[in-house]
């Protein structure tokens, strides 16, 4: 297996706003909260961080704050994905200079390509940037799925080191694992299937839930890594009502509301996303997991 970026829980961080500006104070508080609760890595400016509505200056600021606050304690993974291949390369080079240890690169959306195009897209990024690449497969956002044979081809490229697989399709995961023959690390991109995903051979999760429940998700992933599947399964089942609520509207709408209830940020998003108004059920489910 190639370089392993992390094992366990990585949080796909929200980007906090206040009065339509990046809330740097809240971001620092959130990063500290994550570190204090045992996460293994942080993803800055991934899908949960609303990168389409961040300026280049804000994108750089988020990554640089995360790197500075983490101070080497855990890897910082920068979201560099775009449907513009050249733009990904530019961001990858900038993220490396800012101190990120890896990049998360989603498959192109809207101008979605063919499987051959995916190989060329990721190959070009890998050839023109040194930052290790985590390939992100999330058909619900992009409208396309990476085939196992494409994963097999990508696994032969030196600095493509991992896959974030967000379909919850365990049969697809098994096919991908077989196709890459142990060359790549696999991370769940779906909180609803952390335990079974890891039981099949995944090394962890890039989680939305862990924004609000970093200790809970870290314990869950640690249990699976130790082979304590029964306890991990019990935790997975216990968390399911909250997980369903967190994805009842377009993410990160519900998780931002949850973080606001915890006093970690404002319940503010950028258009076209709008805040969740009725948080009573969300609050109840968070209380049941002792998050409030």
């Amino acid at each position: 297996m190639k370089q392993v970026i992390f094992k366990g829980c990585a949080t796909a961080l929200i980007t906090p706003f206040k009065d339509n500006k990046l809330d740097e104070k809240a971001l620092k508080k959130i990063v500290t909260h994550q570190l204090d609760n045992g996460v293994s890595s942080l993803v800055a400016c991934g899908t949960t961080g609303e990168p389409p509505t961040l300026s280049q200056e804000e994108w750089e600021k988020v990554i640089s704050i995360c790197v500075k606050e983490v101070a080497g304690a855990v890897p910082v993974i920068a979201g560099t994905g775009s449907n513009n291949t050249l733009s990904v390369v530019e961001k990858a080079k900038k993220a490396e200079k800012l101190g990120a240890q890896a990049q998360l690169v989603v498959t192109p959306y809207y101008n979605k390509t063919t499987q051959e195009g995916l190989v060329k897209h990721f190959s070009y990024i890998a050839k023109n940037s040194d930052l290790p690449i985590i390939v992100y497969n999330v058909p619900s956002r992009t409208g396309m799925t990476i085939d196992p044979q494409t994963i097999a081809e990508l696994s032969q490229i030196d600095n493509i080191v991992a896959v974030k697989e967000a379909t919850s399709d365990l049969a697809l995961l098994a096919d991908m694992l077989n196709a890459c023959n142990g060359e790549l690390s696999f991370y769940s991109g779906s909180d609803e299937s952390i335990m079974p995903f890891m039981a099949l051979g995944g090394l962890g999760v890039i989680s939305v839930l862990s924004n609000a429940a970093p200790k809970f998700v870290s314990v869950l992933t640690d249990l699976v890594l130790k082979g304590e599947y029964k306890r991990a399964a019990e935790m997975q089942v216990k968390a399911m009502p909250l997980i369903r609520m967190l994805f009842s509207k377009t993410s990160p709408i519900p998780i931002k509301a949850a973080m606001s209830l915890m006093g970690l940020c404002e319940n503010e998003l950028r258009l076209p996303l709008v805040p969740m108004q009725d948080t009573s059920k969300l609050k109840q489910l968070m209380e049941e997991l002792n998050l409030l």
Side-chain angles (χ1 to χ4, degrees), residues 31-43:
V31 171
T32 298
H33 180 67
Q34 292 291 314
L35 296 176
D36 288 347
N37 284 278
V39 299
S40 301
S41 183
L42 296 175
V43 177

